[in-house]
Amino acid sequence: MFSEANLVSNGQSFSGDEGKALSAKPLESLSNASRRERSVSDTDRRPTRHTRIGVDSMFKPGGSCTTGGHWSAECPAPISSKMPYFTKLLLLIFCLVLVVESRKHRRRRWTHLGMQRASHISKKNEDLTKAWKGKTEQLLKIDEHDFTMRPAFGGPAIPVGVDVQVESLDSISEVDMDFTMTLYLRHYWKDERLSFSSTNNKSRTFDGRLVKKIWVPDVFFVHSKRSFIHDTTTDNIMLRVFPDGHVLYSMRVTVTAMCNMDFSRFPLDSQTCSLELESYAYTDEDLMLYWKNGNESLKTDEKISLSQFLIQKFHTTSRLAFYSSTGWYNRLYINFTLRRHIFFFLLQTYFPATLMVMLSWVSFWIDRRAVPARVSLGITTVLTMSTIITGVNASMPRVSYIKAVDIYLWVSFVFVFLSVLEYAAVNYLTTVQERKERKLRERFSCSCGIPHSKTMMLDGNYSESDANSLAGYTRNQMVPEEEKPEKVVVHLAMSNESNSSRKRGLRGYVGLRIIQNTHAIDKYSRLIFPGTYIVFNLIYWSVFS
């Protein structure tokens, strides 16, 4: 039956009399309705302009329209004629937004794919031994073991190999008797607790932060005064762990250690110093410390040089050290021999001292009556030698034995001092001689009764004729009257006695008087002092060089 409910369900509602009229129609109206339905189905099969629905066409609600006073379902009504202008504009904007968003999404997709490909390439070049996503403690199983105990605790001694690379010898101090050295200290041992699984059998490298969490050897420097690990820009510590548990532990250290020096041959000496390494807590029963590659375990930089020393050689040794309260320990030695450069001390010590000694010899050629000149020269050389000795000892430790430089300086000082004493002796003998002559002159002050007295003036450059002219005078009649520089004044008494013996005696007396003007001690000193000093130098340099 075609009732009011069916009409409502088809999307149309009628009110009032229209609904009653429809319900009151006879059965022919039903047949008309059925015919209309068939005509609608036939119309749907035939393509008409109403079946071509465009973008701007829509159907009325209910899907029917009125044609000739009746409702029909096949005639769609175009909405474009009824749609407002701003709605069309909104639809256009919406379509543009959809196009733009689709392009952005496509770009993002391609960018993401490019990043994935780049990250895939970088992963191929990345060091897989260090690309561990978990914690270090989980990789090395640090939390599962007690690292306060050494490896194989309670078992045999763990071998720990050591090698050293010397970076520089910073200073050698004779006053403090120590040296400062910068070196790379490396330890090698095996700790199975640190082993880990690895597909490529490569090591893992860590910095100093992991060192505090595992066991490391407690090596220290024996007889060290100061030492520190470099911390610029971070702590200079490296830890490398291999999959089988082998460990390399390296650090950069600067240490100042004591060096027992022997200065008996200074500055012509050679010093041998040693840096000693030893375990502090573990005896030889717990830790066996050894050089990893023997004498090849010690490497040095070829550019190492010192201002005062020549580094002759480096070598390694090892031995056991015994402590009465704790036991035996393995001790490693880094030995190096230094030979001192002599040229600096030749310029600063030996040459000045030699020149002062030679300067003191100048006084032997100065007249003995020039007291101010000879005294001032002798005192100047003595004070200069004292200054040189003081300066050398100020830069040396106060040792209780004699050094080689002390022998040279003090012998030179003795030569300078003896030159001063030599003039003192010359001046004293001259004074004594003048006193005797004065007494003799006073004794023979009266020359009365001496026949044919004659006075002659003789200087040092007397001739043979002057000496022969005195042949007629007797020796006991000659009385010295006055002595002037470089001249001899004598009183000669004429005598008729003339023989050869008197002539020879007169010549000897005149020669003695002339020699006394340039004293014999000065003449002997001009030969003895230089000859003795030359012999001393030959002996000194042959013994100590």
Side-chain angles (χ1 to χ4, degrees), residues 2 26-43 45-46 70-72 74:
F2 193 79
L27 293 175
E28 57 266 16
S29 64
L30 294 175
S31 59
N32 293 331
S34 61
R35 284 195 299 270
R36 282 196 302 270
E37 290 176 358
R38 285 194 298 272
S39 64
V40 168
S41 61
D42 294 335
T43 305
R45 295 187 186 97
R46 292 192 302 270
H70 300 281
W71 291 96
S72 175
E74 72 271 13

Side-chain angles (χ1 to χ4, degrees), residues 448-463:
C448 299
I450 299 178
H452 309 286
S453 176
K454 184 179 178 180
T455 302
M456 298 183 62
M457 189 74 68
L458 299 179
D459 56 6
N461 298 323
Y462 69 96
S463 63

Side-chain angles (χ1 to χ4, degrees), residues 361 364-365 415 520-535:
W361 298 340
F364 301 152
W365 277 266
F415 272 87
I521 298 178
D522 285 340
K523 286 189 175 183
Y524 295 144
S525 299
R526 294 170 188 173
L527 300 176
I528 295 175
F529 273 73
T532 307
Y533 195 71
I534 291 173
V535 171

Side-chain angles (χ1 to χ4, degrees), residues 287-467:
L287 189 145
M288 184 179 67
L289 205 63
Y290 69 97
W291 290 112
K292 187 174 184 296
N293 298 316
N295 203 27
E296 299 295 328
S297 301
L298 179 61
K299 298 180 180 179
T300 59
D301 192 350
E302 296 179 355
K303 298 181 181 179
I304 296 178
S305 62
L306 295 172
S307 59
Q308 293 189 22
F309 292 93
L310 173 65
I311 303 175
Q312 290 186 333
K313 64 177 180 179
F314 279 89
H315 65 280
T316 60
T317 55
S318 61
R319 64 186 67 176
L320 290 175
F322 177 73
Y323 298 90
S324 59
S325 58
T326 54
W328 294 89
Y329 294 82
N330 293 111
R331 182 177 294 181
L332 305 180
Y333 295 83
I334 302 174
N335 304 311
F336 56 96
T337 303
L338 305 173
R339 184 172 181 82
R340 195 182 306 273
H341 294 297
I342 188 59
F343 189 72
F344 172 80
F345 295 94
L346 287 177
L347 294 178
Q348 299 295 325
T349 305
Y350 287 96
F351 286 165
T354 303
L355 291 177
M356 288 300 104
V357 174
M358 296 174 65
L359 184 62
S360 67
W361 298 340
V362 177
S363 64
F364 301 152
W365 277 266
I366 300 177
D367 184 65
R368 58 194 175 97
R369 293 179 182 84
V371 177
R374 296 189 67 166
V375 171
S376 61
L377 181 60
I379 293 177
T380 301
T381 53
V382 169
L383 293 178
T384 305
M385 285 301 306
S386 300
T387 303
I388 294 175
I389 294 174
T390 304
V392 171
N393 291 328
S395 60
M396 294 296 299
R398 298 178 179 178
V399 295
S400 58
Y401 50 85
I402 299 176
K403 303 181 290 293
V405 68
D406 294 336
I407 296 175
Y408 193 89
L409 292 179
W410 280 104
V411 170
S412 300
F413 182 83
V414 169
F415 272 87
V416 172
F417 188 74
L418 287 178
S419 67
V420 177
L421 293 182
E422 185 270 345
Y423 178 67
V426 169
N427 187 271
Y428 174 75
L429 293 177
T430 302
T431 304
V432 170
Q433 184 179 359
E434 289 178 352
R435 190 181 298 115
K436 288 181 180 181
E437 291 177 354
R438 190 180 301 110
K439 289 181 180 180
L440 184 61
R441 187 168 58 250
E442 291 175 356
R443 182 178 178 182
F444 298 98
S445 59
C446 181
S447 59
C448 299
I450 299 178
H452 309 286
S453 176
K454 184 179 178 180
T455 302
M456 298 183 62
M457 189 74 68
L458 299 179
D459 56 6
N461 298 323
Y462 69 96
S463 63
E464 186 69 19
S465 60
D466 295 333

Side-chain angles (χ1 to χ4, degrees), residues 45-66:
R45 295 187 186 97
R46 292 192 302 270
T48 62
R49 66 181 184 90
H50 296 289
T51 60
R52 291 191 300 271
I53 301 174
V55 177
D56 297 331
S57 63
M58 296 179 62
F59 289 96
K60 272 187 177 183
S64 61
C65 62
T66 55

